[in-house]
Amino acid sequence: MTEQWQPSACILCECNCGIVVHVEDRRLVKIRGDKDHPASRGYTCNKALRLDHYQNNRARLTSPLRRRPDGGFEEIDWDTAISEIAAGFKRIARTYGGDKIFYYGGGGQGNHLGGAYSSAFLKPLGSHYRSNALAQEKTGEAWVDAQLYGGHTRGEFEHAEVSVFVGKNPWMSHSIPRARVVLNDIAKDPGRSMIVIDPVLTDTAKMADFHLRTRPGTDAWCLAALAAVLVQENLCDERFLADHVNGADVVRDVLREIPVPEYAQHCGVDEELIRAVARRIGTASSVSVFEDLGVQQGPNSTLCSYLDKLLWILTGNFAKRGGQHLHSTFGPIMRHTPEVGRTPVTGAPIVAGLVPGNVIADEILTDHPDRFRAMIVESTNPAHSLADSARCRAAFASLELLVVIDVAMTETARLAHYVLPAASQFEKPEATFFNLEFPHNTFHLRHPLMDPLPGTLPEPEIWARLVRALGVVDDAELEPLRAAARRGRDEFTTAFLQAMAANPELNKVLPYVLYETLGPTLPDGLRGAAALWGLAQRAAMTYPDAIRRAGHADGNALFDAILTSRSGVTFTVHEYADDFALISHPDRRIALEIPELLDDLRGLAAGPTPLTTPEFPIVLSAGERRAYTANDIIRDPAWRKRDGHGALRVSVEDAAELGLVDGGRARIITATGSAEATVEITEAMLPGHASLPNGFGVDYPDDDTAAPRVTGVAPNELTAAGWRDRYAATPWHKHVPARLEPVPADG
Ligand SMILES: Nc1nc2c(c(=O)[nH]1)N[C@H]1C(S)=C(S)[C@@H](COP(=O)(O)OP(=O)(O)OC[C@H]3O[C@@H](n4cnc5c(=O)[nH]c(N)nc54)[C@H](O)[C@@H]3O)O[C@H]1N2
Ligand SMILES: Nc1nc2c(c(=O)[nH]1)N[C@H]1C(S)=C(S)[C@@H](COP(=O)(O)OP(=O)(O)OC[C@H]3O[C@@H](n4cnc5c(=O)[nH]c(N)nc54)[C@H](O)[C@@H]3O)O[C@H]1N2
Ligand code: SF4
Ligand SMILES: [Mo]
């Protein structure tokens, strides 16, 4: 590699594949996979090559903006913005209490470093309600995980004999390292099997050995039938259950009663296929399972999370090569605690510490005294990504203070009182906290490829300025730490522990303290990486042996390795048996019995209740991942090489019945709203099921003078906040009752 190739990572999905980039005149002119990245090992998909559309585009912000009374924005300087914003939040906290300040976001697919500093501003104000996109997908699963074993698990698909994808299309959406290589390897190997549960004949399903083509929204019956066959045909791993699992008998009693033929009919899958799949799972040497939005954003989502975990737990596919694993954590993404809090206005469940996205508007649009009055939105676009965009817009517009920190002018930013322009992810140190692998887990600190675009600042600096403006830290207290940091890591460690013991209040602003003291001593523009020092110490204390096995003597050694390894480091190497130690229950056993969900499982006997009606007879999946979608990260529609308008995919049968033509236009009507899209007729869809892609419907100016124009359908103009899971209040985006009508070509 010559000097001009600089290591970084793709930021378009949670994999954050390592890339090397050739930068010319601030453009990412050439991009390749980085062979030295410990997780992706040179792999990228088609999307990484298009990253310059994120870095350079007409939506980028270059100055702090303040909303004028007439609704337009004026540019203001950073000092004015920071002091007015800090004063504004202080006023809200003083008048109503700091808990009326709601924080949403903190990172997207690849940028979690900036959000790590937010607590230093929020905690002194007394703000503690927070959320992000994970509360639209992963909280139901997290609640189940918390009770089963107290952590997040991942399958080891690279080595699994049997891989199961439930409502997950990894060929398009990835989420596992080197997804397409791994899927191809599985498909080529006659000794291994791929099982896909999905109503759509996806690119992944096409490669599968077994495709369980469930009717949309009926996965609970399919999964229950699979688990029932495991029990009824004695395919469970008795030894594993006896040694490592509590409550298995109660669960098996419920599964033993399940009438498999009936449940097969309920989900529309052939009974013999279900039995064959259960037998394949029950007799394999290793099984890995990945559930994603197809079930997490549909009816019975939390129950489905429970049932698909039964598949690998009942068969003992834990703590062995190719099985399912708990893993180390570097930066905290989600808390796995069984406690469920309640939101202040609607009393909705707060799982994993996150307010459900579907109730945010209701927590604002009310005269309840405990309503949220102000909001900080960082690196996310909730006015577009939360259910029922129109209502979200109304809610955000009614706030007394809304501040948005983003690289681009977004749908949410347009509603803000202040917009703060962030440096892009290639202009600052940045990192993902989606470090979810086992036995080797990796962490990648990306170095800046160039200076921040003039006018922008990295988030760590934005938060530091805001904390300074609050005036909660006596700068003199930081002097000894600054001096110690200049003398070396060990001296800093000692001084840091002393300072924290002497003034526990400093704990509240810990990331700020690190930024101000250790930060200035870090090389190569890496000041923003200072917070990682604290996380490295914590990792070293939590996983001492696994960190040493990965070659790091202690937290300081790990931190230094992170600073110098520009393509990323392996931070933990676990042994398979360590999985048991990672179970957080004191007896290190899996607790299989979840009474509420067992009740729901019994309740499945009543059969599915369709959500569709004669008025809205089609199930619309609003937000499918495709070859050229990447949430809202790239706004310029020119980044797409195909499917530029984000086609509405419909079945051959529905098209014929409704008079829809391929390439023609259709109107999509739901109880919430309506939209128009280009039609694609495909055998991939079942009759009664249609899909729209995610990531469309954001606006972008055609040229510097034009008003922004919207391409494709914004999915959440069609979704409703009330369609949600009863445990985690996660949305049913994949299951929106809708009506389709042809739009005549001339109108
Ligand atoms: N290309 C691309 N990749 C991405 C992203 C992106 O925007 N674009 N986003 C990233 C993010 S944030 C996430 S969370 C992941 C999501 O990754 P996935 O969950 O894989 O993405 P989706 O396509 O939204 O949904 C998965 C599947 O659910 C299926 N489905 C719909 N209804 C049902 C149902 O009733 N039952 C079952 N079993 N399946 C159903 C759909 O047919 C689809 O194939 O992708 C990540 N990767
Ligand atoms: N109907 C429907 N709705 C959905 C989904 C669906 O399938 N259907 N999927 C849901 C899921 S799984 C997810 S994850 C969410 C995703 O939705 P969001 O949480 O809104 O996240 P992104 O779309 O990734 O938005 C990322 C934002 O970060 C900004 N950004 C990029 N880089 C930086 C940076 O360095 N600093 C800052 N401050 N900002 C930056 C981008 O400009 C963009 O505005 O959508 C959810 N909404
Ligand atoms: S989109 Fe995801 S899988 Fe594709 S290169 Fe980027 S990080 Fe890797
Ligand atoms: Mo997501």
Side-chain angles (χ1 to χ4, degrees), residues 11 54 104 107-109 111 132-134 136-138 293 297 377-382 384-387 405-408 410 420 422-425 428 430 459 622-625 630-635 694 715-716 719 731 733-734:
I11 59 162
Y54 159 82
Y104 190 80
Q109 296 295 295
N111 53 321
N132 57 46
L134 292 168
Q136 276 210 80
E137 41 172 330
K138 300 284 175 277
L293 303 185
Q297 295 187 338
V377 172
E378 178 182 8
S379 191
T380 174
N381 186 11
H384 181 264
S385 58
L386 291 178
I405 306 172
D406 205 296
V407 293
T410 67
L420 297 180
S424 86
Q425 296 181 48
K428 65 195 173 199
E430 201 35 282
E459 288 84 348
E624 185 180 63
R625 272 67 187 162
N631 291 353
D632 292 4
I633 304 167
I634 304 186
R635 300 183 71 86
N694 73 325
N716 289 307
T719 58
H733 291 324
K734 297 290 181 267

Side-chain angles (χ1 to χ4, degrees), residues 8 30 48 55 103 171 181 295 298 300 390 397 408 426 430 495 508 554 662 677 715 718:
S8 185
K30 283 187 213 153
Q55 170 62 25
Y103 173 61
W171 186 268
V181 173
V295 286
N300 295 306
F426 301 109
E430 201 35 282
K508 277 194 185 160
D554 57 18
D662 198 74
L718 301 168

Side-chain angles (χ1 to χ4, degrees), residues 154-458:
R154 251 312 163 75
E156 201 185 347
F157 297 92
E158 198 176 355
H159 300 303
E161 184 185 321
V162 171
S163 296
V164 188
F165 298 109
V166 188
K168 170 81 196 162
N169 179 12
W171 186 268
M172 282 305 172
S173 65
H174 293 81
S175 305
I176 57 174
R178 304 163 59 249
R180 290 177 182 177
V181 173
V182 171
L183 294 176
N184 277 326
D185 285 350
I186 299 172
K188 270 192 293 209
D189 186 340
R192 301 170 72 192
S193 297
M194 192 192 305
I195 298 164
V196 171
I197 306 184
D198 198 311
V200 177
L201 182 56
T202 61
D203 291 274
T204 310
K206 283 179 194 154
M207 305 174 81
D209 301 275
F210 303 89
H211 179 197
L212 304 181
R213 208 168 175 191
T214 45
R215 266 197 289 276
T218 61
D219 296 85
W221 286 268
C222 182
L223 293 163
L226 286 170
V229 175
L230 292 177
V231 171
Q232 294 169 15
E233 297 192 10
N234 298 317
L235 294 161
C236 298
D237 183 338
E238 297 302 328
R239 181 75 199 273
F240 178 83
L241 294 177
D243 290 351
H244 301 295
V245 179
N246 296 331
D249 287 341
V250 188
V251 173
R252 286 199 281 191
D253 286 346
V254 181
L255 292 171
R256 207 167 280 120
E257 300 304 315
I258 283 178
V260 174
E262 212 176 288
Y263 280 33
Q265 283 200 340
H266 286 322
C267 64
V269 180
D270 181 58
E271 180 193 340
E272 279 317 308
L273 183 56
I274 290 184
R275 290 193 185 275
V277 164
R279 288 171 196 144
R280 186 71 185 94
I281 291 172
T283 55
S285 62
S286 59
V287 178
S288 283
V289 182
F290 202 124
E291 63 158 83
D292 216 339
L293 303 185
V295 286
Q296 293 181 342
Q297 295 187 338
N300 295 306
S301 53
T302 300
L303 176 59
C304 288
S305 296
Y306 183 49
L307 292 174
D308 71 49
K309 281 158 206 351
L310 292 184
L311 300 182
W312 59 262
I313 297 173
L314 290 173
T315 53
N317 281 293
F318 180 66
K320 64 170 165 182
R321 186 175 152 96
Q324 202 75 13
H325 305 292
L326 289 159
H327 54 77
S328 57
T329 301
F330 191 79
I333 284 289
M334 267 186 125
R335 273 190 270 149
H336 285 88
T337 54
E339 292 107 58
V340 174
R342 292 286 152 191
T343 60
V345 173
T346 65
I350 297 183
V351 175
L354 302 176
V355 169
N358 277 44
V359 306
I360 290 171
D362 289 342
E363 299 286 328
I364 298 169
L365 280 179
T366 162
D367 53 13
H368 193 290
D370 293 334
R371 66 186 180 273
F372 296 142
R373 309 271 182 159
M375 214 167 141
I376 307 183
V377 172
E378 178 182 8
S379 191
T380 174
N381 186 11
H384 181 264
S385 58
L386 291 178
D388 195 347
S389 300
R391 191 160 157 82
C392 286
R393 283 192 295 269
F396 298 155
S398 78
L399 290 164
E400 288 185 34
L401 182 57
L402 172 61
V403 174
V404 171
I405 306 172
D406 205 296
V407 293
M409 185 42 112
T410 67
E411 287 65 23
T412 313
R414 286 189 205 294
L415 303 167
H417 298 95
Y418 295 90
V419 184
L420 297 180
S424 86
Q425 296 181 48
F426 301 109
E427 298 166 347
K428 65 195 173 199
E430 201 35 282
T432 179
F433 290 165
F434 288 132
N435 321 107
L436 311 170
E437 299 303 316
F438 181 101
H440 297 86
N441 207 355
T442 63
F443 184 83
H444 184 194
L445 171 66
R446 287 127 53 187
H447 290 221
L449 302 183
M450 61 190 100
D451 290 335
L453 189 65
T456 68
L457 288 176

Side-chain angles (χ1 to χ4, degrees), residues 10-17 43-48 174:
C10 174
I11 59 162
L12 297 178
C13 88
E14 66 190 271
C15 291
N16 291 274
C17 299
Y43 175 89
T44 68
C45 74
N46 56 299
K47 295 192 291 298
H174 293 81

Side-chain angles (χ1 to χ4, degrees), residues 63-66 74-85 418-421 455 457 465:
S63 165
L65 302 174
R66 178 173 60 198
E74 61 196 352
E75 297 191 352
I76 54 175
D77 62 72
W78 274 101
D79 287 346
T80 306
I82 294 290
S83 65
E84 290 187 11
I85 291 169
Y418 295 90
V419 184
L420 297 180
L457 288 176
R465 290 186 187 193

